[in-house]
Amino acid sequence: MPREAPLTIGEAEHHFAPLKGAGRILIAVSGGPDSVALMNFAAAIRRHESFPPLAVATVDHRLQAGSDRVARDVADQADALGLDAHILPWEGLKPATGVQAAARQARYELLIRLADRIDATHLVTAHTLDDQAETILFRMARGSGLAGLAGMRPAVMRGRIIHYRPFLEVAKQRLVEACRANQWSFVEDPANRDLRFARARMRRLLPLLAAEGLDAKVLATLGWRVARTAAAIGEKAETALEESRLPSDADRQAFAASRLLAEPTVILVRALEMSLTGFAHDGPPRLGRLESLVDDLEKAYRRGQSFRRTLHGAIVSWRGGSAVEIARETPRHPQATSGSKG
């Protein structure tokens, strides 16, 4: 297998171009080759052209011995580059299971809190093409819908902060080679090879899949195509909701059944997902349950049978009339007990 060429400063400038209008950038650096390259390229670009102010943050998850030393090394490298450095410790008890998911959530909470405190407009991370492929494989294995199979987006909002991933189309090995070529010191996280974690097991599969033609680039291309499809479905679903919407209030939404239920199933699933998300609970409903609800609703409508189902804290119903209704479910309160205290 041919060795990957190091990413060049010119290529890095191209990937960083969308950041030129940022107010202040916070770069997340773990100490691994991807984020060390990210930090060094950003510092180099800043030196020879107009670029927003930079700060660096490293999260000490305190999950492994020596993690404080790695965090200190990152801060020292940032200082040597003339960048403000911040070490963010993940304090408190750690979960016995799901530790990687919990660490990810804690990491972003710490980073966004710091970004707010230092008035950064952008958080930048070093996710690569390989990370994108792993994410898509991971979500395929868990039965994700189109939104999940689209993988990571280059830019997403986290509160008021824009989270940007400039290296999402760059192979990880090119960043490793850039570190070696420029003698940028980095560490390898042992958790990346720990097969107790699903991510590590997915990572082990990638070379085997690549040998059959399903490499990181092919998986990322699949994600890009799925993202375009998901966006088109989302637009159609928004149109269907707007064109079928009937007078509603804060606790009840109503839609013209003849218009809404004329949509293909995939559009109807997305439309009801949009209506339910944020209406009764934060976040989207579970896809499998939503698909089951839509299938049963369509069957009931075709047969002229009334329909009522609770999902995600809301009641979806069609009573044989002109409207499909989504009403907030009334919370159940425990019955008061009678009698007096002695």
Side-chain angles (χ1 to χ4, degrees):
M1 192 171 182
R3 188 169 179 173
E4 294 273 8
L7 189 74
T8 66
I9 185 67
E11 290 173 305
E13 285 180 16
H14 168 74
H15 293 296
F16 277 105
L19 292 168
K20 289 184 180 178
R24 182 179 178 84
I25 297 171
L26 177 63
I27 302 173
V29 182
S30 67
D34 319 26
S35 58
V36 166
L38 177 75
M39 174 175 65
N40 279 276
F41 277 127
I45 293 169
R46 187 188 175 200
R47 279 196 297 269
H48 72 264
E49 67 171 55
S50 176
F51 204 67
L54 302 175
V56 167
T58 184
V59 177
D60 178 4
H61 295 90
R62 297 182 172 179
L63 293 173
Q64 297 164 348
S67 64
D68 56 337
R69 187 167 58 253
V70 173
R72 185 68 261 165
D73 286 346
V74 169
D76 289 343
Q77 288 185 57
D79 288 338
L81 292 168
L83 306 178
D84 294 333
H86 304 264
I87 296 176
L88 307 175
W90 181 23
E91 298 174 329
L93 295 174
K94 308 300 187 289
T97 59
V99 66
Q100 286 202 319
R104 180 183 181 277
Q105 180 177 343
R107 179 164 62 250
Y108 279 119
E109 287 176 357
L110 290 166
L111 290 167
I112 293 301
R113 202 176 301 150
L114 174 62
D116 277 324
R117 193 165 72 241
I118 66 174
D119 292 326
T121 58
H122 290 67
L123 168 67
V124 178
T125 58
H127 291 101
T128 66
L129 186 72
D130 301 68
D131 295 317
Q132 181 74 300
E134 290 167 16
T135 296
I136 292 169
L137 270 181
F138 189 84
R139 293 176 180 176
M140 286 174 66
R142 278 152 180 74
S144 292
L146 291 181
L149 295 181
M152 294 179 283
R153 287 176 288 170
V156 293
M157 295 300 301
R158 295 187 181 275
R160 69 166 191 86
I161 308 297
I162 300 172
H163 178 192
Y164 183 62
R165 302 176 174 103
F167 291 161
L168 206 52
E169 297 178 354
V170 178
K172 176 186 176 73
Q173 193 59 36
R174 298 199 66 198
L175 300 177
V176 173
E177 297 300 335
C179 286
R180 289 171 175 164
N182 292 283
Q183 297 184 321
W184 297 331
S185 176
F186 65 87
V187 296
E188 292 285 1
D189 185 353
N192 289 338
R193 299 185 300 275
D194 191 334
L195 297 182
R196 291 175 300 171
F197 301 126
R199 281 277 180 177
R201 296 194 296 273
M202 289 293 176
R203 193 169 290 121
R204 185 180 62 170
L205 286 176
L206 280 173
L208 301 176
L209 295 174
E212 300 298 330
L214 189 59
D215 60 13
K217 190 171 182 179
V218 170
L219 283 166
T221 299
L222 169 65
W224 173 70
R225 288 172 176 158
V226 169
R228 290 197 306 175
T229 302
I233 290 172
E235 290 176 6
K236 290 288 187 182
E238 287 178 353
T239 299
L241 289 175
E242 288 306 311
E243 292 183 354
S244 63
R245 194 178 303 277
L246 299 172
S248 305
D249 57 41
D251 294 315
R252 173 186 166 278
Q253 300 179 50
F255 304 93
S258 59
R259 170 65 184 88
L260 185 62
L261 295 175
E263 290 291 340
T265 301
V266 68
I267 305 296
L268 184 55
V269 167
R270 183 71 181 107
L272 289 185
E273 181 182 40
M274 288 176 171
S275 295
L276 289 167
T277 300
F279 176 66
H281 289 300
D282 291 332
R286 291 186 180 179
L287 181 60
R289 293 181 181 178
L290 179 59
E291 289 172 330
S292 176
L293 181 150
V294 169
D295 286 343
D296 291 344
L297 173 59
E298 289 180 314
K299 289 175 185 175
Y301 183 71
R302 286 196 300 269
R303 296 168 182 170
Q305 300 170 341
S306 62
F307 175 87
R308 188 178 188 274
R309 181 80 58 82
T310 300
L311 179 67
H312 206 56
I315 300 169
V316 180
S317 63
W318 178 68
R319 298 184 177 90
S322 61
V324 171
E325 295 186 353
I326 302 175
R328 196 181 305 278
E329 185 180 23
T330 304
R332 296 177 182 176
H333 299 290
Q335 288 186 332
T337 56
S338 59
S340 60
K341 295 180 181 180

